[in-house]
């Protein structure tokens, strides 16, 4: 099931980031149980009444907040409208309606997306009365909140979740019947994504069927290439977008969020001449956090001067950057010479298969319990941990529960040991897996 993507927009200093932080904290401790994960300040998962969704704070991307140009905010709002499902427009009750608020509201009124107006800094009855001025924005009802102390955020979240419910049923019925792997080609601007997609699907796009699947009118197109059937989730090159000249983090993250949320396997393309940069790491983390399959393509390999160990060194460098999740296939490609493009596709198909791998409980217990007996968790404060039983959970992606008498005494190094062994035995290359230790 695809999660909804909610964007928080508004001019600088109205409290967008405070609201963002408050909304993701409800969920952060659970979602970020991967140690060593780089936090991206502007993207998070939130959960309200059991409904998970993704949140994007557009504000954090604008440099030099106060002297910001109206143009820059306009671009961000347009992009948020294009890539997200729901918009939360944050305004500040203490300053009233500013000219910038008015120009943002004009864009939002034209949009065919649900918009929720959140009036921030309403922390007393007097300010509650001031809030009525914002009806003049012409965006209908509003929610009065205080990001600092959290008042009003519950009502806002209830309304957001209700809006999401309407979108999902149709999507789920489509997802259930759809067995083909969905690939998203993601990466920084100029890494060669469009050339890869063109090389993959040919100029004539080799279209087999068109299914207008989602409510967002994106068309998942089925391709057949090199003997594989697969779908491409819209990314660079598939839908022509207005060219964005500035290579700002925001634009590439926003596109990546959208593509990654709707795919099974993210093909992360990096530019061999630039190495694995911070932005690549952000996109990698997004895919990993969303439990998607991942394949890394090092493109423009033809442009590099080669020595004996160039490939090995490059691979080691990437694995160091993506630690602790280092079990990811890395393929060196060139879209110009067509080198290893088939290998890249084959690898993505393999990762997709592993991601939907189901292991029989009896087999899992036979293998893992024998291994645990030989390498039990170390005793802590004289307490001996006994793991008695394990099973794969009925989730779309590989998640496992191990039942123990004292799960609270199992430390991270042992959890990583179990994960690494499972990767070795069951071939989960490129697939994030989640392991829980529970009370038996």
């Amino acid at each position: 099931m695809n999660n909804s993507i909610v964007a928080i927009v508004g001019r600088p200093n109205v409290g967008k980031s405070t609201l963002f932080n408050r909304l993701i904290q409800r969920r952060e401790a659970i979602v970020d149980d991967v140690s060593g994960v780089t936090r991206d300040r502007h993207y998070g998962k939130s959960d309200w009444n059991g409904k998970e969704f993704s949140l994007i704070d557009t504000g954090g991307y604008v440099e030099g907040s106060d002297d910001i140009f109206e143009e820059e905010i306009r671009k961000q709002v347009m992009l948020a409208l294009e890539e997200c499902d729901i918009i939360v427009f944050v305004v500040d009750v203490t300053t009233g309606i500013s000219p910038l608020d008015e120009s943002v509201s004009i864009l939002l009124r034209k949009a065919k997306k649900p918009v929720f107006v959140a009036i921030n800094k309403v922390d007393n009855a007097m300010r509650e009365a001031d809030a009525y001025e914002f009806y003049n924005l012409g965006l209908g009802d509003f929610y009065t909140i205080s990001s600092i102390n959290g008042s009003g955020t519950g009502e806002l979240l209830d309304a957001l979740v209700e809006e999401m419910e309407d979108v999902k049923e149709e999507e789920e019925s489509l997802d259930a019947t759809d067995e083909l792997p969905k690939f998203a080609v993601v990466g920084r601007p100029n890494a060669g994504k469009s050339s890869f997609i063109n090389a993959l699907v040919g100029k004539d796009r080799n279209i087999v069927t068109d299914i207008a699947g989602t409510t967002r009118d994106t068309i998942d197109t089925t391709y057949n290439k090199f003997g594989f059937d697969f779908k491409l989730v819209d990314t660079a090159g598939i839908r022509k977008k207005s060219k964005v000249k500035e290579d700002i983090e925001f634009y590439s993250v926003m596109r990546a969020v959208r593509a990654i949320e709707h795919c099974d396997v993210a093909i992360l393309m990096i530019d061999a001449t630039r190495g694995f940069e911070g932005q690549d790491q952000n996109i990698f983390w997004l895919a990993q956090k969303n439990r998607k399959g991942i394949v890394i393509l090092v493109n423009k390999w033809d442009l590099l001067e080669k020595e004996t160990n160039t490939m090995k060194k490059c691979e080691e460098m990437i694995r160091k950057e993506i630690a602790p999740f280092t079990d990811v296939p890395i393929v060196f490609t060139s879209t110009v010479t067509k080198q290893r493009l088939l290998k890249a596709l084959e690898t993505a198909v393999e990762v997709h298969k592993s991601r939907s791998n189901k292991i029989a409980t009896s087999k899992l217990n036979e293998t893992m319990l024998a291994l645990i007996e030989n390498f039990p968790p170390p005793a802590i404060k004289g307490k001996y941990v006994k793991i008695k039983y394990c099973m794969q959970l009925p989730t779309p992606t590989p998640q496992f529960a191990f039942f123990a008498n004292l799960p609270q005494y199992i430390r991270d190094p042992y959890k990583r040991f179990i994960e690494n062994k499972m990767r070795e035995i069951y071939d989960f290359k490129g697939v994030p897996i989640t392991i829980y230790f529970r009370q038996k």
Side-chain angles (χ1 to χ4, degrees):
M1 185 178 86
N2 296 328
N3 290 330
S4 291
I5 306 175
V6 178
I8 300 177
V9 303
R11 62 191 169 80
N13 303 327
V14 290
K16 295 190 296 295
S17 297
T18 321
L19 177 63
F20 172 79
N21 289 337
R22 179 161 284 281
L23 296 186
I24 61 171
Q25 265 159 10
R26 307 179 187 287
R27 182 66 195 182
E28 208 62 341
I30 306 167
V31 171
D32 286 331
D33 53 4
V34 182
S35 52
V37 158
T38 335
R39 300 289 191 284
D40 185 313
R41 301 191 306 284
H42 316 305
Y43 168 86
K45 288 257 182 237
S46 186
D47 178 296
W48 185 250
N49 294 345
K51 180 89 188 159
E52 193 180 71
F53 57 93
S54 297
L55 211 57
I56 293 171
D57 167 21
T58 61
Y61 291 90
V62 175
E63 297 301 318
S65 56
D66 272 350
D67 53 352
I68 170 94
F69 312 118
E70 195 171 330
E71 178 60 16
E72 196 54 51
I73 288 183
R74 204 182 66 79
K75 274 188 206 157
Q76 295 204 351
V77 172
M78 292 307 289
L79 198 74
L81 286 172
E82 207 173 319
E83 303 294 340
C84 299
D85 306 311
I86 296 173
I87 307 289
V88 174
F89 176 29
V90 184
V91 289
D92 178 348
V93 76
T94 60
T95 58
I97 295 177
S98 78
L100 205 45
D101 291 332
E102 279 178 348
S103 58
V104 170
S105 69
I106 290 167
L107 296 173
L108 296 178
R109 281 204 300 271
K110 291 180 189 156
K112 292 181 173 61
K113 297 274 167 89
V115 176
F116 292 81
V117 179
I119 305 176
N120 195 18
K121 307 184 190 175
V122 179
D123 39 26
N124 59 43
M126 187 102 140
R127 288 182 171 178
E128 191 77 51
D130 293 342
Y132 288 98
E133 176 192 350
F134 289 91
Y135 269 125
N136 295 328
L137 290 175
L139 289 164
D141 288 341
F142 52 72
Y143 296 82
T144 53
I145 63 167
S146 167
S147 304
I148 295 282
N149 66 31
S151 69
T153 50
E155 288 82 1
L156 174 62
L157 281 164
D158 286 343
L160 286 176
V161 166
E162 205 174 303
E163 183 66 49
M164 290 167 202
E165 293 300 333
D166 305 339
V167 167
K168 290 303 166 207
E169 285 168 22
E170 176 194 349
E171 247 178 46
E172 275 172 10
S173 60
L174 279 162
D175 284 353
T177 55
D178 189 8
E179 292 304 311
L180 288 182
K182 290 189 181 133
F183 298 149
V185 184
V186 291
R188 296 177 55 95
N190 307 325
K193 298 187 293 293
S194 301
S195 325
F196 176 70
I197 290 167
N198 289 339
L200 207 57
V201 301
K203 285 284 181 274
D204 58 357
R205 292 280 161 88
N206 209 5
I207 295 177
V208 186
T209 56
D210 271 333
I211 302 170
T214 62
T215 48
R216 286 170 222 90
D217 307 327
T218 60
I219 291 182
D220 281 340
T221 308
T222 303
Y223 294 99
N224 177 290
K225 198 73 175 173
F226 307 129
F228 297 116
D229 284 326
F230 60 94
K231 289 190 166 191
L232 274 180
V233 176
D234 57 43
T235 52
I238 294 288
R239 291 195 305 177
K240 286 272 188 291
K241 298 256 168 77
S242 52
K243 294 268 189 298
V244 176
K245 293 194 176 57
E246 303 86 340
D247 178 5
I248 297 178
E249 208 176 325
F250 178 65
Y251 299 102
S252 27
V253 167
M254 196 79 148
R255 295 276 148 83
V257 168
R258 174 70 183 273
I260 286 167
E261 295 259 348
H262 294 87
C263 74
D264 297 310
V265 179
I267 298 174
L268 169 57
M269 189 165 247
I270 68 171
D271 180 339
T273 61
R274 292 169 72 167
F276 196 83
E277 300 176 310
Q279 183 57 21
D280 300 314
Q281 199 168 18
N282 279 341
I283 294 173
F284 175 85
W285 171 69
L286 280 174
Q288 195 266 343
K289 189 168 180 168
N290 277 290
R291 301 194 183 102
K292 303 296 183 182
I294 305 171
V295 178
I296 294 176
L297 299 192
V298 183
N299 192 33
K300 307 191 184 177
W301 194 239
D302 53 314
L303 300 180
L304 240 57
E305 292 287 319
K306 311 290 188 302
E307 291 166 25
T308 329
N309 289 333
T310 313
M311 198 179 273
K312 193 165 177 280
K313 276 185 191 150
C314 181
E315 197 170 315
E316 278 168 10
M317 179 274 294
I318 293 171
R319 293 202 192 283
K320 200 168 124 194
E321 292 292 336
I322 61 176
F325 181 38
T326 52
D327 187 20
V328 177
I330 298 174
V331 184
F332 293 85
T333 61
S334 161
T335 50
V336 177
T337 63
K338 305 277 190 285
Q339 187 181 17
R340 296 194 197 87
L341 296 190
L342 170 59
K343 175 93 171 84
L345 195 56
E346 271 175 352
T347 309
V349 170
E350 278 162 24
V351 167
H352 175 257
K353 282 183 186 150
S354 307
R355 189 170 170 263
S356 39
N357 201 355
K358 296 278 181 268
I359 301 157
T361 305
S362 55
K363 284 218 167 88
L364 189 65
N365 279 280
E366 201 178 294
T367 312
M368 294 312 292
L369 294 184
L371 183 110
I372 288 165
E373 208 169 297
N374 291 333
F375 302 98
I380 291 179
K381 298 178 188 163
K383 308 267 190 200
Y384 288 90
V385 180
K386 288 192 169 47
I387 296 173
K388 300 165 182 174
Y389 177 72
C390 56
M391 63 181 284
Q392 183 167 1
L393 300 172
T395 48
T397 57
Q399 299 185 42
F400 300 89
F402 285 76
F403 295 93
N405 58 343
L406 300 163
Q408 67 274 31
Y409 287 111
I410 297 173
R411 298 283 183 256
D412 281 348
Y414 192 75
K415 289 177 184 174
R416 276 199 291 275
F417 163 76
I418 292 290
E419 180 179 331
N420 291 339
K421 283 294 174 200
M422 290 192 76
R423 290 184 171 286
E424 239 169 71
I425 299 164
Y426 298 109
D427 186 26
F428 282 119
K429 214 173 183 35
V431 181
I433 62 177
T434 316
I435 294 173
Y436 301 100
F437 289 90
R438 298 215 171 124
Q439 185 77 42
K440 179 68 174 173

